[in-house]
PDB file of all heavy atoms in Angstrom:
ATOM      1  N   PRO A   1       5.325  14.718   9.139  1.00  0.00           N
ATOM      2  CA  PRO A   1       4.103  15.062   9.868  1.00  0.00           C
ATOM      3  C   PRO A   1       2.866  14.765   9.041  1.00  0.00           C
ATOM      4  O   PRO A   1       2.936  14.686   7.804  1.00  0.00           O
ATOM      5  CB  PRO A   1       4.246  16.564  10.103  1.00  0.00           C
ATOM      6  CG  PRO A   1       5.130  17.045   9.031  1.00  0.00           C
ATOM      7  CD  PRO A   1       6.070  15.909   8.761  1.00  0.00           C
ATOM      8  N   PRO A   2       1.689  14.622   9.677  1.00  0.00           N
ATOM      9  CA  PRO A   2       0.438  14.453   8.943  1.00  0.00           C
ATOM     10  C   PRO A   2       0.110  15.652   8.091  1.00  0.00           C
ATOM     11  O   PRO A   2       0.527  16.792   8.403  1.00  0.00           O
ATOM     12  CB  PRO A   2      -0.610  14.235  10.026  1.00  0.00           C
ATOM     13  CG  PRO A   2      -0.057  14.846  11.239  1.00  0.00           C
ATOM     14  CD  PRO A   2       1.473  14.639  11.147  1.00  0.00           C
ATOM     15  N   GLY A   3      -0.552  15.417   7.003  1.00  0.00           N
ATOM     16  CA  GLY A   3      -0.884  16.492   6.039  1.00  0.00           C
ATOM     17  C   GLY A   3       0.122  16.648   4.929  1.00  0.00           C
ATOM     18  O   GLY A   3      -0.151  17.382   3.980  1.00  0.00           O
ATOM     19  N   THR A   4       1.279  16.001   5.015  1.00  0.00           N
ATOM     20  CA  THR A   4       2.261  16.073   3.981  1.00  0.00           C
ATOM     21  C   THR A   4       1.721  15.385   2.713  1.00  0.00           C
ATOM     22  O   THR A   4       1.131  14.310   2.779  1.00  0.00           O
ATOM     23  CB  THR A   4       3.579  15.385   4.398  1.00  0.00           C
ATOM     24  OG1 THR A   4       4.004  15.930   5.673  1.00  0.00           O
ATOM     25  CG2 THR A   4       4.679  15.626   3.387  1.00  0.00           C
ATOM     26  N   ARG A   5       1.946  16.058   1.564  1.00  0.00           N
ATOM     27  CA  ARG A   5       1.522  15.535   0.292  1.00  0.00           C
ATOM     28  C   ARG A   5       2.706  15.227  -0.587  1.00  0.00           C
ATOM     29  O   ARG A   5       3.716  15.890  -0.544  1.00  0.00           O
ATOM     30  CB  ARG A   5       0.591  16.562  -0.391  1.00  0.00           C
ATOM     31  CG  ARG A   5      -0.717  16.785   0.355  1.00  0.00           C
ATOM     32  CD  ARG A   5      -1.460  18.019  -0.189  1.00  0.00           C
ATOM     33  NE  ARG A   5      -1.739  17.953  -1.628  1.00  0.00           N
ATOM     34  CZ  ARG A   5      -2.815  17.359  -2.156  1.00  0.00           C
ATOM     35  NH1 ARG A   5      -3.689  16.734  -1.357  1.00  0.00           N
ATOM     36  NH2 ARG A   5      -3.017  17.348  -3.441  1.00  0.00           N
ATOM     37  N   TYR A   6       2.536  14.172  -1.393  1.00  0.00           N
ATOM     38  CA  TYR A   6       3.639  13.682  -2.214  1.00  0.00           C
ATOM     39  C   TYR A   6       3.150  13.457  -3.631  1.00  0.00           C
ATOM     40  O   TYR A   6       2.468  12.456  -3.946  1.00  0.00           O
ATOM     41  CB  TYR A   6       4.192  12.334  -1.687  1.00  0.00           C
ATOM     42  CG  TYR A   6       4.516  12.361  -0.200  1.00  0.00           C
ATOM     43  CD1 TYR A   6       3.568  12.121   0.742  1.00  0.00           C
ATOM     44  CD2 TYR A   6       5.840  12.645   0.222  1.00  0.00           C
ATOM     45  CE1 TYR A   6       3.847  12.130   2.089  1.00  0.00           C
ATOM     46  CE2 TYR A   6       6.130  12.668   1.551  1.00  0.00           C
ATOM     47  CZ  TYR A   6       5.145  12.428   2.499  1.00  0.00           C
ATOM     48  OH  TYR A   6       5.428  12.453   3.833  1.00  0.00           O
ATOM     49  N   PRO A   7       3.370  14.417  -4.528  1.00  0.00           N
ATOM     50  CA  PRO A   7       2.973  14.254  -5.942  1.00  0.00           C
ATOM     51  C   PRO A   7       3.771  13.114  -6.598  1.00  0.00           C
ATOM     52  O   PRO A   7       5.014  13.100  -6.503  1.00  0.00           O
ATOM     53  CB  PRO A   7       3.248  15.590  -6.573  1.00  0.00           C
ATOM     54  CG  PRO A   7       3.449  16.587  -5.440  1.00  0.00           C
ATOM     55  CD  PRO A   7       4.014  15.749  -4.309  1.00  0.00           C
ATOM     56  N   LEU A   8       3.088  12.243  -7.236  1.00  0.00           N
ATOM     57  CA  LEU A   8       3.670  11.142  -8.034  1.00  0.00           C
ATOM     58  C   LEU A   8       3.086  11.171  -9.407  1.00  0.00           C
ATOM     59  O   LEU A   8       2.048  11.754  -9.654  1.00  0.00           O
ATOM     60  CB  LEU A   8       3.383   9.779  -7.392  1.00  0.00           C
ATOM     61  CG  LEU A   8       3.939   9.564  -5.956  1.00  0.00           C
ATOM     62  CD1 LEU A   8       3.411   8.226  -5.450  1.00  0.00           C
ATOM     63  CD2 LEU A   8       5.424   9.590  -5.923  1.00  0.00           C
ATOM     64  N   PRO A   9       3.736  10.533 -10.395  1.00  0.00           N
ATOM     65  CA  PRO A   9       3.140  10.445 -11.727  1.00  0.00           C
ATOM     66  C   PRO A   9       1.761   9.795 -11.623  1.00  0.00           C
ATOM     67  O   PRO A   9       1.609   8.679 -11.210  1.00  0.00           O
ATOM     68  CB  PRO A   9       4.115   9.581 -12.512  1.00  0.00           C
ATOM     69  CG  PRO A   9       5.398   9.762 -11.820  1.00  0.00           C
ATOM     70  CD  PRO A   9       5.054   9.927 -10.358  1.00  0.00           C
ATOM     71  N   GLY A  10       0.741  10.546 -11.982  1.00  0.00           N
ATOM     72  CA  GLY A  10      -0.654   9.990 -11.986  1.00  0.00           C
ATOM     73  C   GLY A  10      -1.374   9.933 -10.689  1.00  0.00           C
ATOM     74  O   GLY A  10      -2.499   9.507 -10.613  1.00  0.00           O
ATOM     75  N   ALA A  11      -0.732  10.431  -9.584  1.00  0.00           N
ATOM     76  CA  ALA A  11      -1.413  10.360  -8.252  1.00  0.00           C
ATOM     77  C   ALA A  11      -0.667  11.271  -7.294  1.00  0.00           C
ATOM     78  O   ALA A  11       0.497  11.639  -7.470  1.00  0.00           O
ATOM     79  CB  ALA A  11      -1.437   8.955  -7.724  1.00  0.00           C
ATOM     80  N   THR A  12      -1.382  11.673  -6.255  1.00  0.00           N
ATOM     81  CA  THR A  12      -0.777  12.376  -5.114  1.00  0.00           C
ATOM     82  C   THR A  12      -1.145  11.621  -3.850  1.00  0.00           C
ATOM     83  O   THR A  12      -2.290  11.374  -3.572  1.00  0.00           O
ATOM     84  CB  THR A  12      -1.297  13.837  -5.014  1.00  0.00           C
ATOM     85  OG1 THR A  12      -0.828  14.558  -6.167  1.00  0.00           O
ATOM     86  CG2 THR A  12      -0.730  14.527  -3.764  1.00  0.00           C
ATOM     87  N   LEU A  13      -0.130  11.202  -3.069  1.00  0.00           N
ATOM     88  CA  LEU A  13      -0.336  10.517  -1.816  1.00  0.00           C
ATOM     89  C   LEU A  13      -0.425  11.589  -0.698  1.00  0.00           C
ATOM     90  O   LEU A  13       0.371  12.511  -0.700  1.00  0.00           O
ATOM     91  CB  LEU A  13       0.737   9.516  -1.534  1.00  0.00           C
ATOM     92  CG  LEU A  13       1.016   8.445  -2.581  1.00  0.00           C
ATOM     93  CD1 LEU A  13       1.981   7.410  -1.993  1.00  0.00           C
ATOM     94  CD2 LEU A  13      -0.269   7.769  -3.036  1.00  0.00           C
ATOM     95  N   THR A  14      -1.331  11.389   0.232  1.00  0.00           N
ATOM     96  CA  THR A  14      -1.443  12.312   1.375  1.00  0.00           C
ATOM     97  C   THR A  14      -1.313  11.521   2.680  1.00  0.00           C
ATOM     98  O   THR A  14      -2.010  10.529   2.872  1.00  0.00           O
ATOM     99  CB  THR A  14      -2.819  13.032   1.367  1.00  0.00           C
ATOM    100  OG1 THR A  14      -2.936  13.767   0.123  1.00  0.00           O
ATOM    101  CG2 THR A  14      -2.895  14.031   2.496  1.00  0.00           C
ATOM    102  N   LYS A  15      -0.424  11.985   3.517  1.00  0.00           N
ATOM    103  CA  LYS A  15      -0.253  11.365   4.821  1.00  0.00           C
ATOM    104  C   LYS A  15      -1.249  11.941   5.797  1.00  0.00           C
ATOM    105  O   LYS A  15      -1.314  13.143   6.009  1.00  0.00           O
ATOM    106  CB  LYS A  15       1.204  11.590   5.302  1.00  0.00           C
ATOM    107  CG  LYS A  15       1.546  10.778   6.543  1.00  0.00           C
ATOM    108  CD  LYS A  15       3.002  10.826   6.850  1.00  0.00           C
ATOM    109  CE  LYS A  15       3.441   9.883   7.984  1.00  0.00           C
ATOM    110  NZ  LYS A  15       4.860   9.921   8.246  1.00  0.00           N
ATOM    111  N   ARG A  16      -2.034  11.080   6.410  1.00  0.00           N
ATOM    112  CA  ARG A  16      -3.090  11.516   7.356  1.00  0.00           C
ATOM    113  C   ARG A  16      -2.721  11.377   8.837  1.00  0.00           C
ATOM    114  O   ARG A  16      -3.421  11.945   9.684  1.00  0.00           O
ATOM    115  CB  ARG A  16      -4.349  10.755   7.045  1.00  0.00           C
ATOM    116  CG  ARG A  16      -4.988  11.080   5.694  1.00  0.00           C
ATOM    117  CD  ARG A  16      -6.198  10.239   5.418  1.00  0.00           C
ATOM    118  NE  ARG A  16      -6.886  10.690   4.196  1.00  0.00           N
ATOM    119  CZ  ARG A  16      -7.762   9.983   3.558  1.00  0.00           C
ATOM    120  NH1 ARG A  16      -8.106   8.765   3.966  1.00  0.00           N
ATOM    121  NH2 ARG A  16      -8.424  10.447   2.508  1.00  0.00           N
ATOM    122  N   ARG A  17      -1.695  10.585   9.140  1.00  0.00           N
ATOM    123  CA  ARG A  17      -1.357  10.376  10.548  1.00  0.00           C
ATOM    124  C   ARG A  17       0.143  10.407  10.665  1.00  0.00           C
ATOM    125  O   ARG A  17       0.850   9.806   9.868  1.00  0.00           O
ATOM    126  CB  ARG A  17      -1.916   9.017  11.031  1.00  0.00           C
ATOM    127  CG  ARG A  17      -1.916   8.844  12.494  1.00  0.00           C
ATOM    128  CD  ARG A  17      -2.420   7.469  12.882  1.00  0.00           C
ATOM    129  NE  ARG A  17      -3.743   7.218  12.391  1.00  0.00           N
ATOM    130  CZ  ARG A  17      -4.869   7.620  12.980  1.00  0.00           C
ATOM    131  NH1 ARG A  17      -4.790   8.276  14.144  1.00  0.00           N
ATOM    132  NH2 ARG A  17      -6.036   7.311  12.467  1.00  0.00           N
ATOM    133  N   GLY A  18       0.597  11.098  11.728  1.00  0.00           N
ATOM    134  CA  GLY A  18       2.021  11.185  11.953  1.00  0.00           C
ATOM    135  C   GLY A  18       2.588  10.033  12.717  1.00  0.00           C
ATOM    136  O   GLY A  18       1.813   9.172  13.191  1.00  0.00           O
ATOM    137  N   PRO A  19       3.889   9.984  12.988  1.00  0.00           N
ATOM    138  CA  PRO A  19       4.482   8.866  13.703  1.00  0.00           C
ATOM    139  C   PRO A  19       4.092   8.899  15.177  1.00  0.00           C
ATOM    140  O   PRO A  19       3.902   9.986  15.749  1.00  0.00           O
ATOM    141  CB  PRO A  19       5.972   9.068  13.515  1.00  0.00           C
ATOM    142  CG  PRO A  19       6.141  10.542  13.301  1.00  0.00           C
ATOM    143  CD  PRO A  19       4.919  10.967  12.535  1.00  0.00           C
ATOM    144  N   ALA A  20       4.009   7.723  15.774  1.00  0.00           N
ATOM    145  CA  ALA A  20       3.732   7.650  17.228  1.00  0.00           C
ATOM    146  C   ALA A  20       4.844   8.199  18.048  1.00  0.00           C
ATOM    147  O   ALA A  20       4.629   8.688  19.174  1.00  0.00           O
ATOM    148  CB  ALA A  20       3.425   6.215  17.577  1.00  0.00           C
ATOM    149  N   LEU A  21       6.096   8.070  17.560  1.00  0.00           N
ATOM    150  CA  LEU A  21       7.250   8.588  18.257  1.00  0.00           C
ATOM    151  C   LEU A  21       8.162   9.285  17.209  1.00  0.00           C
ATOM    152  O   LEU A  21       8.217   8.811  16.052  1.00  0.00           O
ATOM    153  CB  LEU A  21       8.051   7.480  18.892  1.00  0.00           C
ATOM    154  CG  LEU A  21       7.409   6.707  20.082  1.00  0.00           C
ATOM    155  CD1 LEU A  21       8.281   5.507  20.444  1.00  0.00           C
ATOM    156  CD2 LEU A  21       7.161   7.604  21.239  1.00  0.00           C
ATOM    157  N   PRO A  22       8.874  10.329  17.560  1.00  0.00           N
ATOM    158  CA  PRO A  22       9.853  10.906  16.606  1.00  0.00           C
ATOM    159  C   PRO A  22      11.023  10.010  16.448  1.00  0.00           C
ATOM    160  O   PRO A  22      11.395   9.217  17.337  1.00  0.00           O
ATOM    161  CB  PRO A  22      10.193  12.210  17.284  1.00  0.00           C
ATOM    162  CG  PRO A  22      10.005  11.971  18.760  1.00  0.00           C
ATOM    163  CD  PRO A  22       8.855  11.051  18.849  1.00  0.00           C
ATOM    164  N   ALA A  23      11.709  10.168  15.325  1.00  0.00           N
ATOM    165  CA  ALA A  23      12.881   9.354  15.085  1.00  0.00           C
ATOM    166  C   ALA A  23      13.928   9.487  16.165  1.00  0.00           C
ATOM    167  O   ALA A  23      14.615   8.557  16.556  1.00  0.00           O
ATOM    168  CB  ALA A  23      13.466   9.704  13.701  1.00  0.00           C
ATOM    169  N   ALA A  24      14.068  10.731  16.718  1.00  0.00           N
ATOM    170  CA  ALA A  24      15.065  10.982  17.723  1.00  0.00           C
ATOM    171  C   ALA A  24      14.849  10.201  18.999  1.00  0.00           C
ATOM    172  O   ALA A  24      15.769  10.033  19.781  1.00  0.00           O
ATOM    173  CB  ALA A  24      15.113  12.460  18.026  1.00  0.00           C
ATOM    174  N   ALA A  25      13.610   9.731  19.212  1.00  0.00           N
ATOM    175  CA  ALA A  25      13.302   9.004  20.442  1.00  0.00           C
ATOM    176  C   ALA A  25      13.673   7.514  20.384  1.00  0.00           C
ATOM    177  O   ALA A  25      13.559   6.835  21.415  1.00  0.00           O
ATOM    178  CB  ALA A  25      11.830   9.183  20.782  1.00  0.00           C
ATOM    179  N   LEU A  26      14.042   7.023  19.225  1.00  0.00           N
ATOM    180  CA  LEU A  26      14.245   5.613  19.050  1.00  0.00           C
ATOM    181  C   LEU A  26      15.589   5.065  19.566  1.00  0.00           C
ATOM    182  O   LEU A  26      15.736   3.911  19.922  1.00  0.00           O
ATOM    183  CB  LEU A  26      14.141   5.239  17.579  1.00  0.00           C
ATOM    184  CG  LEU A  26      12.781   5.578  16.883  1.00  0.00           C
ATOM    185  CD1 LEU A  26      12.825   5.080  15.445  1.00  0.00           C
ATOM    186  CD2 LEU A  26      11.613   5.013  17.655  1.00  0.00           C
ATOM    187  N   GLY A  27      16.542   5.946  19.598  1.00  0.00           N
ATOM    188  CA  GLY A  27      17.924   5.475  19.947  1.00  0.00           C
ATOM    189  C   GLY A  27      18.576   4.775  18.751  1.00  0.00           C
ATOM    190  O   GLY A  27      18.052   4.794  17.621  1.00  0.00           O
TER     191      GLY A  27
END
């Protein structure tokens, strides 16, 4: 989901937008 943060060495990545469809909808 959006807002998830991922600490990495020397940086933190932040997800700002979630997926257009959930994985379960893909088949």
Side-chain angles (χ1 to χ4, degrees):
T4 308
R5 292 167 59 85
Y6 308 86
L8 299 174
T12 295
L13 305 188
T14 301
K15 189 171 189 178
R16 291 177 171 164
R17 194 182 302 276
L21 296 172
L26 301 183

